[in-house]
Amino acid sequence: MGFFKRSKKSGEPQQVSTHTELATVWSQGEEMIDMLAEAHISWGLGSADRWGLDQRTGMITWTFPDRTASAPAQLIGSYNPDAGTWLWACANESILPEMSRDSAVICDWLQEQGYSGLANSLVDADDQMAAMLAAIAVRVTAAAGFYRGTGSAAIPFITFGPVSVTSDDGTSETFKMQIEVESAAE
């Protein structure tokens, strides 16, 4: 796949990359997603009746029968399985710039690492490519939470911060997750 070929940096001879660095970041991101999913089960991630994202407030909210959970969020990108594409949030005109800052950071990181094909606004993608881009995003941004939303045409990929859970009785609790992995994305 041409996306994995590194761009030739000025003054460097053209080489075929082994992609070890990108593969490491990808693998670490997948590991982080698994650990985050397990950690966030404690407050109910994955079992909400519904969810919503408010771009004006920058908050994602999950609604349960007896509580709500909310967290500051960033849209990373969206995957359209019918079109076979991934659209970075920072290139999506319908996304407010404040909601796509992390998406821009990821695209900049990919560019700096020489993977400009992956940093294009629109990337040819299947389920595996979308999962890979999400894992890279989680690792590069050191996200404290990850959510793959639902959608009829495009599936949003969202990272989030500390989660505040408020019960119907008014009590609340905050969940902060931090996953440590070896540093390869810096």
Side-chain angles (χ1 to χ4, degrees), residues 45-88:
L45 182 65
S47 63
D49 292 340
R50 65 182 181 274
W51 72 278
L53 183 67
D54 186 334
Q55 287 196 61
R56 292 168 295 142
T57 64
M59 300 294 285
I60 186 168
T61 302
W62 295 273
T63 305
F64 302 87
D66 61 343
R67 66 193 183 285
T68 58
S70 59
Q74 284 285 298
L75 276 158
I76 298 303
S78 56
Y79 168 55
N80 185 326
D82 293 336
T85 57
W86 170 275
L87 176 63
W88 289 105

Side-chain angles (χ1 to χ4, degrees), residues 6 20-29 32 109 113 115 136 139-140 180-186:
R6 285 183 152 219
T20 304
E21 184 179 7
L22 187 63
T24 299
V25 171
W26 175 13
S27 175
Q28 290 172 343
M32 287 176 71
W109 183 87
Q113 300 304 311
Y115 297 104
I136 290 169
R139 174 61 186 95
V140 169
E180 299 289 331
V181 294
E182 277 185 43
S183 180
E186 286 139 17

Side-chain angles (χ1 to χ4, degrees), residues 35-154:
M35 290 188 294
L36 289 167
E38 187 174 320
H40 285 288
I41 286 175
S42 64
W43 59 263
L45 182 65
S47 63
D49 292 340
R50 65 182 181 274
W51 72 278
L53 183 67
D54 186 334
Q55 287 196 61
R56 292 168 295 142
T57 64
M59 300 294 285
I60 186 168
T61 302
W62 295 273
T63 305
F64 302 87
D66 61 343
R67 66 193 183 285
T68 58
S70 59
Q74 284 285 298
L75 276 158
I76 298 303
S78 56
Y79 168 55
N80 185 326
D82 293 336
T85 57
W86 170 275
L87 176 63
W88 289 105
C90 57
N92 186 336
E93 293 179 3
S94 69
I95 307 300
L96 296 175
E98 310 77 63
M99 290 297 301
S100 64
R101 285 187 314 265
D102 283 358
S103 177
V105 167
I106 298 153
C107 289
D108 289 346
W109 183 87
L110 287 164
Q111 286 281 0
E112 290 166 8
Q113 300 304 311
Y115 297 104
S116 58
L118 293 175
N120 287 338
S121 298
L122 194 64
V123 177
D124 289 335
D126 57 11
D127 288 339
Q128 183 178 6
M129 176 64 81
M132 182 192 82
L133 293 171
I136 290 169
V138 167
R139 174 61 186 95
V140 169
T141 63
F146 171 76
Y147 187 68
R148 178 182 168 144
T150 54
S152 57

